[in-house]
Amino acid sequence: MRIAVVGRGNVGGGLADLSEQAGHELNRIGREGGDVSDAEVVVVAVPGGTISQALDNVDGLEGKTVVDATNRVGVEPPEGFSSNAEYVKSRTNGPTAKSFNINFASLYDRIGEASSRPSNLWCGEEEARQVVERLNRDAGYEPVYAGTLENASAQEDFIKLVFGIVQGDMGPFLYRMAPPDRL
Ligand SMILES: NC(=O)c1ccc[n+]([C@@H]2O[C@H](COP(=O)([O-])OP(=O)(O)OC[C@H]3O[C@@H](n4cnc5c(N)ncnc54)[C@H](OP(=O)(O)O)[C@@H]3O)[C@@H](O)[C@H]2O)c1
């Protein structure tokens, strides 16, 4: 697939590397923005509070399939929306999914060490299923469907529980491997 990744940090850069290793063609876009007209899927991986500004700098989003990986740590979604993912949908009018926001980027290079494929949640629209599940499997995860796009708000809020698990040092191996400030 031709994949555009908006955000070149831990998540965007890391997922771009994993996808490239799986044979996909990558367009890596930073805060300066760019054009995603050619992309079959756009992954958004910018700080949660910058989503509006980040999309302002991206051309060719109309109708695109988008996978939103952002978390909202200490910030609300854009006004009038209950999640960043639903806001993304309003900007693109294309198939939209929320995924990759719960797993730690610092463990991307250790996914293969797990005794079984780590699960990775996604919720969103049926039209995005094929693409988001393929991105997950090609990155080494087993995608777990978590409902419609209306559940994106819950999936974004779920990160608070993950922080709680890590801070309580009660989490499974993968969560214990990375401190919350890396998420
Ligand atoms: N780190 C994790 O383990 C993890 C896991 C799941 C989800 N998340 C979420 O994924 C998102 C990205 O996290 P990250 O750890 O990859 O962050 P990061 O390493 O700080 O990277 C953020 C990227 O977004 C770009 N950016 C910053 N402000 C921007 C703006 N106003 N417009 C456009 N691009 C902008 C940055 O550009 P520059 O390179 O130019 O600064 C950078 O490429 C966040 O929402 C985070 O909560 C993180």
Side-chain angles (χ1 to χ4, degrees), residues 2-13:
R2 291 185 304 279
I3 303 170
V5 179
V6 181
R8 291 192 285 221
N10 300 308
V11 174

Side-chain angles (χ1 to χ4, degrees), residues 9 28 33 44 49 61 69 86 88 93 96 106 111 133 140-141 181 183:
R28 299 167 190 249
V44 179
L61 276 170
E86 287 161 298
V88 168
N93 296 307
T96 306
S106 54
I111 295 171
E133 291 195 344
Y141 292 114
D181 62 357
L183 198 71

Side-chain angles (χ1 to χ4, degrees), residues 6-13 29-33 44-51 53-55 57 69-73 84 100-106 108 159 181-183:
V6 181
R8 291 192 285 221
N10 300 308
V11 174
I29 294 174
R31 74 173 65 210
E32 71 282 1
V44 179
V46 297
T50 72
I51 191 138
Q53 190 186 347
L55 297 185
N57 292 333
T70 62
N71 275 318
R72 298 181 281 103
V73 181
N84 273 1
F100 297 106
N101 69 309
I102 298 301
N103 293 50
F104 292 96
S106 54
Y108 284 162
I159 199 61
D181 62 357
R182 300 291 302 276
L183 198 71

